[in-house]
Amino acid sequence: MRPTTRFLLGSVAVALCGLLAACSSDVSAVLPPGHLATGARVAVIGDSITIGHGLPTDQAWPELLAARQHLRLTDLGCDGAGMLAEGDDQCTATDEGLAEEAASLHPDVVVLQASSNDLGQDDDALDGAAEQLVAEVRRLLPRARIVGLSAVWDQDAPPGQLAAVSAALRTAVTGVGGSWLDLGQPLRGHAGWMQSDDVHPTARGQRALLTAVTGALDRHHERW
């Protein structure tokens, strides 16, 4: 198994934009699904890939997304975090703990990324953790839009359990009426898009993740 910091990038939060239905309570009655209000508040929960480990902050895909869509975005990525896996020194939290932090920001949209940090966990435990995570987000933020992102691997073929990690989150997110984006494996076959640790994407890899999100939005026929 790869280091727990290996993110599956569901990277995508770019998903946000297209999938997001009206983002603030003030406009939710007039904006149809697929529209994201300028200045919407967005919280992204993920791991080290989400925060652009090893890169300047503005090169991480959530920041690229925020700049493009003029969003008020807070990146709550935490090295090592997952639905069951606890993050490293700086946050020592699971995704559920990060959800509590996200709630304090009163976001219009919450993006949840599946993570390879959960590889090696029992599948039934993953199902339960995903359900609990999404239920907690819904409890804390009953009006927020929830968007889930699939797990993404590196330049190599992903391990078999990666699909199960994504499936657990997908079932939980769609079960509460949230949106799901399948990003595929945008980094596969591109060793040059990975940093020397073979775990975290370079700036080029982060842009590829952004493109993957855009493609997922197109497949859902969502408008930006």
Side-chain angles (χ1 to χ4, degrees):
M1 183 180 74
R2 301 303 177 84
T4 55
T5 51
R6 211 180 271 272
F7 179 42
L8 30 153
L9 261 191
S11 56
V12 244
V14 180
L16 298 180
C17 296
L19 287 172
L20 294 177
C23 294
S24 78
S25 57
D26 294 335
V27 298
S28 60
V30 296
L31 285 182
H35 290 70
L36 185 62
T38 297
R41 296 180 299 273
V42 178
V44 182
I45 296 175
D47 57 15
S48 57
I49 291 183
T50 309
I51 60 174
H53 181 94
L55 300 172
T57 302
D58 62 0
Q59 292 183 3
W61 68 260
E63 298 297 336
L64 296 173
L65 172 65
R68 177 180 292 186
Q69 300 294 335
H70 305 292
L71 306 173
R72 291 179 289 169
L73 183 146
T74 301
D75 189 345
L76 297 176
C78 173
D79 282 2
M83 292 182 292
L84 287 171
E86 289 195 1
D88 295 341
D89 295 343
Q90 82 280 17
C91 56
T92 59
T94 61
D95 284 350
E96 187 173 352
L98 295 172
E100 296 179 2
E101 185 175 351
S104 69
L105 303 171
H106 306 292
D108 303 301
V109 180
V110 178
V111 178
L112 303 173
Q113 298 181 321
S115 175
S116 58
N117 291 331
D118 283 319
L119 288 174
Q121 302 283 358
D122 178 77
D123 286 351
D124 289 339
L126 285 171
D127 290 343
E131 183 176 354
Q132 185 172 330
L133 167 63
V134 174
E136 183 68 358
V137 172
R138 177 56 70 226
R139 182 186 72 80
L140 293 169
L141 297 163
R143 298 177 65 86
R145 178 74 167 167
I146 299 176
V147 177
L149 307 177
S150 67
V152 176
W153 197 239
D154 59 20
Q155 71 269 22
D156 298 323
Q161 194 189 19
L162 197 62
V165 175
S166 291
L169 184 59
R170 181 186 67 235
T171 298
V173 168
T174 57
V176 298
S179 300
W180 179 256
L181 294 180
D182 188 341
L183 302 180
Q185 296 300 332
L187 303 176
R188 186 171 181 178
H190 297 283
W193 295 359
M194 303 301 298
Q195 296 181 41
S196 60
D197 60 7
D198 289 329
V199 173
H200 301 97
T202 61
R204 177 65 183 84
Q206 289 283 352
R207 293 196 299 274
L209 295 176
L210 186 66
T211 298
V213 173
T214 302
L217 292 173
D218 288 345
R219 291 193 296 275
H220 283 80
H221 305 290
E222 296 287 347
R223 296 179 61 186
W224 292 68

